[in-house]
Amino acid sequence: MARELGWYASFSVAFGFVSIATGIFTTYGSVLASSGPRGIWAWPISVIGQLSIALVFGALAARIPISGYSYQWVSRIVGPVWGWIMGWISFAFLGVVLVAVDYTIASTILPELFRYVGTTQNAWVITAAVVLLQGVLVAASTRTTHRVNNTAVTVQLIGMIALTVLLFAVGGFTGKLDFAHLFDAGTVPESGYYALGGGTHAGPFALAFLLGAFTIVGFESAANLAEETKDPARVIPKAMVQAVISLGVLGFLFLVAVTAAAGRVDGVGSSATPVATVITAVLGSVVGKILLVLVVISIFSCGLVITLSGTRLVYAMSRDERFPGWQLLKRIDRRTATPLNASLFMMLIAQIILAVFSRSTDALFQLFSAGTLLPALIYAGTVAMYAAKRRSLPPSQGFSLGRWEVPVLVVAAVWLVYELLIFRDASFRAPWTYVLVLFALGALYFGGLLVRRGRDGLTMPDMADVDRALDTADTEPNPTHATAGGDAR
């Protein structure tokens, strides 16, 4: 694969996966129902927590800039068994979050945009078509994929900034902003509002953290394209951190504007698309339609990046002969210069997951819940590994936490423990079931792998191999897949 991605492409990958337009549009209604308008104040805390994780991931990406992110880092620093477990969890996450994101287009946005009745059947068909299109695009051309994503991210940036400014300006001029509404609990009881909750129930404010925890994930996808990025050890950490900061600030301003306006708009609580309802009431139906189009573009871009990231993970694990069907999935197609088989495989997995959830009337909540739980597990495992091994890590090639290392790790650890405790709530039983089923399938395959090869047959390349691969990649304009990542056998 060609090493041709610069800073903006790397930033766009991180920004496109996170996609605040997607995350806020799809989960804002749930926050209003579970936590009331006051729940938006969980967002800045979530941003700080996720930023601390991005800093840790940046420090690792600067040490081992290879496709496969947590799978590669944990494999080389802790051992191949733990690395494989991390890779399998990452694969499960990318598969389910792709369906969760694309399903939003068919289940909520298109029915609102074109005024038709959405059903589980037409949502299934439309989502399947979107997943297919994304898979074909990623398989056909990496360069075209990045051009589409860069354009979509630029449109999303301009659109979200413009909407936020218009909401504040027009809402303030017409008297439709009620800032007291930002501190209102709505219909949610005040008693025990800030409690984490005991047993199997989380408090109202704790559930509001899921807005940020679901939205601000996927920034690490930039690290998954390390072998296609110029100067990855320097570019990727900066791109990830800048994406989280910019998304966090812009997302919070947008939430404040929407929530302040929602206090004087009727029917927001009962609306299937409360963000669109608020914007239509304040800025008019034309701007409301433009918002829906913007969200469709953002969601398609998000799904495209997820497909791209999932493909690179499958390719990286297959190149190391650690994934079912690795003989086919590790190949780079000579015509397209992409891991064609891995791209088609990722698309097929998404179609299977979609079929499993397609007849559920609560599919969107289950998918989004699983898409929030799985990255929390990935982040927790990776941060714990970094904390335990930080004194024996390979040297950084472009980014280091320096004296901030311990404070960043403390913030990340506290945030991740708190986030995982939220998932004790009884409403998350279905996502836990999905996670356990995926773990069981992975355990069966990996158990067979250990039986066939033995533990000694799962060794990884040492760090000298990584350095040699990067040196070679920097001198070759179009390194082969073997040179870029090393032969792991």
Side-chain angles (χ1 to χ4, degrees):
M1 294 182 285
R3 188 178 291 275
E4 59 186 6
L5 306 181
W7 170 80
Y8 191 69
S10 186
F11 172 82
S12 294
V13 166
F15 193 101
F17 196 130
V18 175
S19 185
I20 52 172
T22 303
I24 292 176
F25 188 90
T26 53
T27 55
Y28 182 71
S30 297
V31 170
L32 289 182
S34 64
S35 314
R38 191 189 302 169
I40 67 167
W41 293 101
W43 177 272
I45 302 174
S46 300
V47 171
I48 293 171
Q50 298 298 77
L51 178 61
S52 67
I53 297 168
L55 289 167
V56 173
F57 274 51
L60 287 167
R63 288 171 165 84
I64 308 177
I66 303 177
S67 296
Y69 64 109
S70 288
Y71 157 70
Q72 299 282 13
W73 303 333
V74 177
S75 292
R76 285 171 167 77
I77 295 172
V78 179
V81 174
W82 286 106
W84 189 91
I85 293 171
M86 192 62 64
W88 186 256
I89 297 173
S90 301
F91 165 69
F93 161 60
L94 292 168
V96 73
V97 78
L98 172 60
V99 178
V101 165
D102 287 343
Y103 195 83
T104 306
I105 295 178
S107 63
T108 60
I109 301 176
L110 293 185
E112 179 73 16
L113 186 61
F114 296 108
R115 298 295 179 182
Y116 68 87
V117 178
T119 66
T120 55
Q121 288 78 16
N122 58 38
W124 182 2
V125 172
I126 294 170
T127 306
V130 173
V131 169
L132 176 62
L133 179 59
Q134 290 164 339
V136 169
L137 187 59
V138 169
S141 172
T142 299
R143 181 172 295 181
T144 302
T145 299
H146 282 292
R147 284 175 178 171
V148 171
N149 183 58
N150 290 351
T151 302
V153 166
T154 302
V155 169
Q156 184 179 171
L157 266 170
I158 295 172
M160 291 298 291
I161 292 172
L163 279 171
T164 303
V165 171
L166 283 172
L167 280 172
F168 278 120
V170 176
F173 181 77
T174 59
K176 291 182 178 180
L177 295 182
D178 180 7
F179 289 101
H181 192 59
L182 301 176
F183 306 95
D184 188 7
T187 59
V188 179
E190 290 280 359
S191 177
Y193 184 86
Y194 295 103
L196 178 58
T200 58
H201 293 284
F205 191 65
L207 292 175
F209 282 95
L210 298 178
L211 173 62
F214 170 76
T215 303
I216 309 174
V217 297
F219 46 81
E220 69 277 7
S221 56
N224 213 5
L225 275 74
E227 293 172 32
E228 300 158 73
T229 304
K230 301 172 185 176
D231 195 12
R234 297 182 185 278
V235 168
I236 290 171
K238 181 171 68 173
M240 289 194 296
V241 171
Q242 289 175 338
V244 172
I245 293 174
S246 59
L247 287 158
V249 173
L250 180 56
F252 186 62
L253 291 173
F254 183 70
L255 281 170
V256 168
V258 169
T259 306
R264 296 183 177 174
V265 175
D266 295 330
V268 174
S270 59
S271 173
T273 54
V275 175
T277 299
V278 171
I279 289 177
T280 299
V282 177
L283 303 178
S285 60
V286 174
V287 178
K289 295 291 185 183
I290 292 174
L291 167 70
L292 294 175
V293 173
L294 172 66
V295 173
V296 170
I297 294 172
S298 301
I299 291 176
F300 185 82
S301 168
C302 181
L304 195 63
V305 172
I306 295 169
T307 304
L308 186 67
S309 186
T311 294
R312 292 331 187 241
L313 175 64
V314 169
Y315 160 72
M317 295 182 71
S318 298
R319 183 177 56 188
D320 294 340
E321 302 180 6
R322 305 230 174 109
F323 201 85
W326 58 265
Q327 296 90 339
L328 291 174
L329 299 177
K330 71 173 185 176
R331 296 178 182 174
I332 298 293
D333 185 79
R334 293 186 178 183
R335 293 177 295 105
T336 63
T338 65
L340 178 62
N341 294 339
S343 302
L344 299 177
F345 174 80
M346 196 67 199
M347 183 267 294
L348 178 61
I349 290 298
Q351 298 286 8
I352 293 172
I353 295 173
L354 173 62
V356 170
F357 286 93
S358 62
R359 296 189 180 278
S360 171
T361 56
D362 198 24
L364 199 56
F365 175 79
Q366 295 179 28
L367 288 164
F368 276 122
S369 298
T372 309
L373 171 60
L374 284 163
L377 296 173
I378 297 167
Y379 296 159
T382 307
V383 169
M385 178 272 296
Y386 185 99
K389 297 288 186 176
R390 65 190 183 90
R391 298 189 183 280
S392 59
L393 294 174
S396 172
Q397 303 178 56
F399 177 83
S400 175
L401 296 175
R403 62 181 180 178
W404 293 100
E405 184 177 60
V406 173
V408 166
L409 285 172
V410 170
V411 172
V414 171
W415 161 245
L416 286 166
V417 168
Y418 183 81
E419 182 183 356
L420 288 172
L421 285 174
I422 298 172
F423 284 96
R424 298 176 304 161
D425 194 84
S427 61
F428 299 113
R429 286 175 182 169
W432 275 112
T433 301
Y434 168 80
V435 170
L436 293 174
V437 169
L438 264 294
F439 280 8
L441 292 174
L444 288 174
Y445 171 77
F446 196 63
L449 196 64
L450 287 174
V451 169
R452 290 195 306 272
R453 301 187 188 181
R455 192 183 182 94
D456 293 337
L458 296 177
T459 55
M460 295 293 290
D462 60 24
M463 292 311 301
D465 291 333
V466 175
D467 292 337
R468 283 194 296 272
L470 291 171
D471 289 341
T472 305
D474 288 338
T475 59
E476 293 186 7
N478 189 16
T480 65
H481 64 284
T483 304
D487 188 347
R489 285 171 291 180

